[in-house]
Amino acid sequence: MDNTPGPRAGRKEWTALGVLMLPLLLVSMDVSVLYFAIPSISEDLEPSATQQLWILDMYGFVLAGLLITMGALGDRIGRRRLVLVGAAVFGLASAAAAYAHSAELLIAVRALLGLGGAALMPSTLALVRNLFHDEKQRAKAVTLWTAVLTTGISLGPVVSGLLLEHFWWGSVFLINVPAMALLLALVPFLVPESSTGRPSTGRPSTGRPSTGPAATEHPATGGRPRFDLLSSALSLGALLPVIYGVKEWARHGYAPVPALGIAVGLLFGVVFMRRQRRLEHPMIDLGLLGRRAFGGPVLANLLAMFATVGMAVFFSQYLQSVLGQSPLTAALWSLVPAAGVAVTAPTGAALAQRIDRAYVMGGGFALSACGFLLITQLQTDSPLWYTLLGGSVYAGGLVAAMTIANELALGAAPPERAGSAAAVLESGQELGGALGMAILGSVGAAVYSRDMADGVPAGVPHADAVRETLGGAAAVASELPGAVAETLLTAAREAFTHGMGIAAIGAAVAMSGAGLFSVVFLRGAGRAAAPVPGEPAAPDHRPASHEAAL
């Protein structure tokens, strides 16, 4: 491959990137923005317990389920066009959510928000691939994209808490409206359109470039291959049941319905993959997914989100229920680890320009493992600075590794498949987060229940609720006399902290494995990156023997 640098981006491209970061921030914030608003929503709309869960989860389910569909759609109709459509849907749905008068309507509108978010997320990353052709500049842009994505998830509860101090719950949705209006106004002038008439095929390449009208035209659609609705339905059928089943398993433990959902989702996934192998224009290029420079970072990102999301619940609950902070104060302190991200993410990107990306990724995962090992030493009376130090170290290492993984995978994807590639990356992250909640959450809950089996003082009512969660123990303790309540809370806090420490060991092991995988299997994978427009290069799909030789 010719490694001649591509054309460098100027002020317009960097301004366009700043505009694209706005929807990314808001879409990621909406994952967590309702955490503080739920009590107010419950008081106003009076949802049932099941409806309350769907108000929280519907957005994430639809977002995750439609990522692959929207990534492929953006490749066909144009990523800028899809960003504009997504912004319009997201803005209108936000206004409707703010004034929803029933739980059913709010759930439906949250689904529309997920649709808009799914259109925006892969398109923003794909446009980064097409705005920045110079490798060093693209690395900086992907660093910013990754930092904004992870910061938005942490920022959601803070923004929600601040708004609810002064306004009603609908304000957490209304803040999206002016931002989306600004996006609709600026994107047509700042962001160039990018799409393809014919995405790369999932069939083995002959090694000869396609030329002439047949390479770009499709008789039924005037130059673009027909969008595959059946593959879209199959991808939904694969992702939604799996993510639903994993989350329900994490929340309530094993039950037949979540287990059946996972099995059904996996079955649909097998059918989806078999269909992609047979299609001339697949939604997912399985040949690309099988390459180290793309498939390896997808797996690394999945493991990173496994640890990030799996520990996030423990971290916030430790600040509130063990250290005794208010929800808003805990949310504000939880932003401190962003300082670690601000240092390590650009440092990792700079190092990746000098040494093999695999070693930088491995170093980031190793750093995160050290942070999780610090968390294993937390006690119920540990100082706040030590807690924040551990969080900063593991968050900084994770985001540094994820940044390199995103940049490596995006560089490996041909420009015409950038939307699909971004969607696969983000779908892996969603699945990793769900698995982290299920597995690490279950480990922590099991340790808590075991420790509390003999930790409940005699005569305490609702002993089952006390043994299930720290929240249940706190609720029961509020109805008990002072000395008994303090004894119960002390035992529950110690059990929770122990469970968090064991879960942190699991996260550290996962990060160590991710680091080892990166160093052993991804060395030299950056050389397999796909060319950018204007660069003479070899064909995108090389024989497996050549790829293995790298």
Side-chain angles (χ1 to χ4, degrees):
M1 174 181 295
D2 184 347
N3 290 321
T4 304
R8 289 180 62 81
R11 180 179 300 175
K12 181 179 179 181
E13 286 78 12
W14 286 107
T15 304
L17 177 65
V19 171
L20 291 173
M21 292 305 96
L22 182 60
L24 178 65
L25 179 66
L26 294 173
V27 168
S28 58
M29 279 174 49
D30 257 48
V31 173
S32 55
V33 78
L34 287 190
Y35 288 173
F36 288 169
I38 277 294
S40 299
I41 293 173
S42 297
E43 183 178 346
D44 191 11
L45 302 184
E46 299 182 352
S48 66
T50 301
Q51 287 175 329
Q52 181 173 306
L53 290 175
W54 278 113
I55 288 171
L56 285 170
D57 289 342
M58 179 60 78
Y59 174 77
F61 285 151
V62 175
L63 176 69
L66 288 176
L67 282 172
I68 290 176
T69 295
M70 291 300 174
L73 185 61
D75 286 341
R76 285 163 169 79
I77 71 170
R79 292 122 197 171
R80 185 182 72 176
R81 182 180 300 174
L82 194 59
V83 163
L84 293 173
V85 171
V89 171
F90 201 84
L92 292 173
S94 296
Y99 296 100
H101 55 77
S102 68
E104 294 84 358
L105 179 58
L106 184 55
I107 291 170
V109 174
R110 286 280 282 171
L112 283 178
L113 280 168
L115 172 64
L120 288 165
M121 282 188 69
S123 298
T124 57
L125 186 55
L127 285 168
V128 168
R129 175 69 175 90
N130 289 276
L131 282 170
F132 297 92
H133 304 314
D134 179 79
E135 187 177 287
K136 292 183 179 179
Q137 288 187 318
R138 187 169 65 237
K140 293 178 181 178
V142 173
T143 298
L144 179 61
W145 189 94
T146 307
V148 168
L149 176 68
T150 54
T151 300
I153 297 173
S154 301
L155 197 60
V158 178
V159 172
S160 175
L162 292 174
L163 288 172
L164 291 171
E165 289 283 330
H166 305 285
F167 306 103
W168 97 113
W169 60 264
S171 62
V172 304
F173 296 109
L174 280 184
I175 59 170
N176 298 330
V177 177
M180 293 301 150
L182 181 65
L183 187 71
L184 289 170
L186 294 180
V187 163
F189 300 100
L190 293 173
V191 180
E193 184 58 280
S194 66
S195 63
T196 178
R198 179 178 184 174
S200 61
T201 116
R203 297 177 179 177
S205 171
T206 63
R208 296 186 300 271
S210 299
T211 59
T216 57
E217 293 181 0
H218 191 278
T221 57
R224 294 188 180 96
R226 180 181 289 109
F227 185 73
D228 187 4
L229 291 175
L230 179 56
S231 289
S232 176
L234 288 172
S235 70
L236 273 172
L239 286 171
L240 285 182
V242 169
I243 293 175
Y244 167 79
V246 169
K247 285 191 172 184
E248 287 298 301
W249 204 325
R251 184 177 287 146
H252 304 297
Y254 172 80
V257 172
L260 179 62
I262 294 173
V264 170
L266 292 176
L267 178 60
F268 273 110
V270 171
V271 176
F272 174 77
M273 290 298 185
R274 289 176 64 87
R275 179 172 176 79
Q276 301 313 292
R277 291 184 184 279
R278 295 196 302 267
L279 291 175
E280 183 179 2
H281 306 297
M283 274 191 170
I284 295 179
D285 186 343
L286 298 183
L288 176 63
L289 190 60
R291 292 176 61 181
R292 291 186 302 137
F294 185 79
V298 169
L299 178 58
N301 256 351
L302 185 151
L303 291 172
M305 290 302 291
F306 170 88
T308 301
V309 177
M311 288 303 298
V313 175
F314 289 103
F315 194 79
S316 61
Q317 195 170 357
Y318 177 83
L319 291 176
Q320 292 180 61
S321 300
V322 177
L323 299 187
Q325 297 178 350
S326 69
L328 181 57
T329 301
L332 288 170
W333 279 119
S334 68
L335 291 178
V336 171
V341 172
V343 173
T344 59
T347 301
L351 287 173
Q353 301 302 319
R354 296 173 172 81
I355 61 177
D356 195 308
R357 292 178 179 91
Y359 295 120
V360 182
M361 285 178 61
F365 283 124
L367 181 63
S368 69
C370 292
F372 286 121
L373 291 177
L374 289 175
I375 296 296
T376 65
Q377 301 306 305
L378 283 177
Q379 304 296 324
T380 56
D381 57 351
S382 294
L384 178 61
W385 68 263
Y386 183 86
T387 306
L388 298 177
L389 174 64
S392 299
V393 172
Y394 84 66
L398 279 170
V399 174
M402 288 177 65
T403 296
I404 304 304
N406 285 332
E407 195 274 327
L408 179 59
L410 204 59
E416 71 272 9
R417 300 291 294 179
S420 298
V424 171
L425 270 172
E426 291 160 9
S427 297
Q429 291 173 2
E430 293 287 338
L431 182 58
L435 289 171
M437 287 180 61
I439 296 175
L440 296 182
S442 297
V443 167
V447 173
Y448 174 87
S449 297
R450 186 194 64 190
D451 288 359
M452 289 300 291
D454 299 319
V456 181
V460 169
H462 309 295
D464 289 342
V466 170
R467 295 188 182 98
E468 284 183 1
T469 64
L470 176 56
V476 172
S478 65
E479 302 174 357
L480 297 175
V484 178
E486 187 59 33
T487 300
L488 176 60
L489 280 176
T490 298
R493 287 167 178 162
E494 290 177 350
F496 175 84
T497 304
H498 185 205
M500 180 175 69
I502 299 300
I505 291 175
V509 170
M511 293 303 91
S512 299
L516 184 63
F517 168 81
S518 299
V519 171
V520 172
F521 292 101
L522 297 182
R523 280 179 298 178
R527 294 196 298 271
V532 296
E535 292 184 47
D540 290 330
H541 297 280
R542 291 172 293 175
S545 59
H546 182 81
E547 178 71 13
L550 291 177

